Amino acid sequence: QWMQGGGLELTITGLAGQSYHMQASTDLVDWATITNLTTVTNSDGRLQFLDSEATNESRRFYRLVLP
């Protein structure tokens, strides 16, 4: 969801208690870790993430990876 003040908010579903690396890419080839989501602690494994840098790119892809 695009935020009024800028940026993109993503809702992520994973395993409760699991750590993840959020990665982003503009070409689906080169990936960079943009943040470490240390723990999804709520019981349903959902977490919201705000990427305020998303507006700096014409396109941006995301993936979660296990450390």
Side-chain angles (χ1 to χ4, degrees), residues 1-64:
Q1 168 180 331
W2 289 103
M3 304 303 291
Q4 274 187 339
L8 177 68
E9 183 180 64
L10 301 171
T11 300
I12 301 155
T13 302
L15 297 174
Q18 181 65 54
S19 298
Y20 296 96
H21 296 294
M22 172 66 77
Q23 296 184 338
S25 173
T26 57
D27 60 9
L28 295 173
V29 175
D30 299 309
W31 292 90
T33 298
I34 56 174
T35 192
N36 294 315
L37 304 172
T38 53
T39 310
V40 179
T41 57
N42 57 344
S43 61
D44 65 0
R46 287 190 302 167
L47 176 71
Q48 290 186 318
F49 168 73
L50 177 63
D51 183 6
S52 58
E53 302 294 318
T55 57
N56 297 338
E57 307 290 343
S58 61
R59 63 182 173 203
R60 193 161 175 157
F61 304 95
Y62 299 90
R63 70 180 182 186
L64 286 177

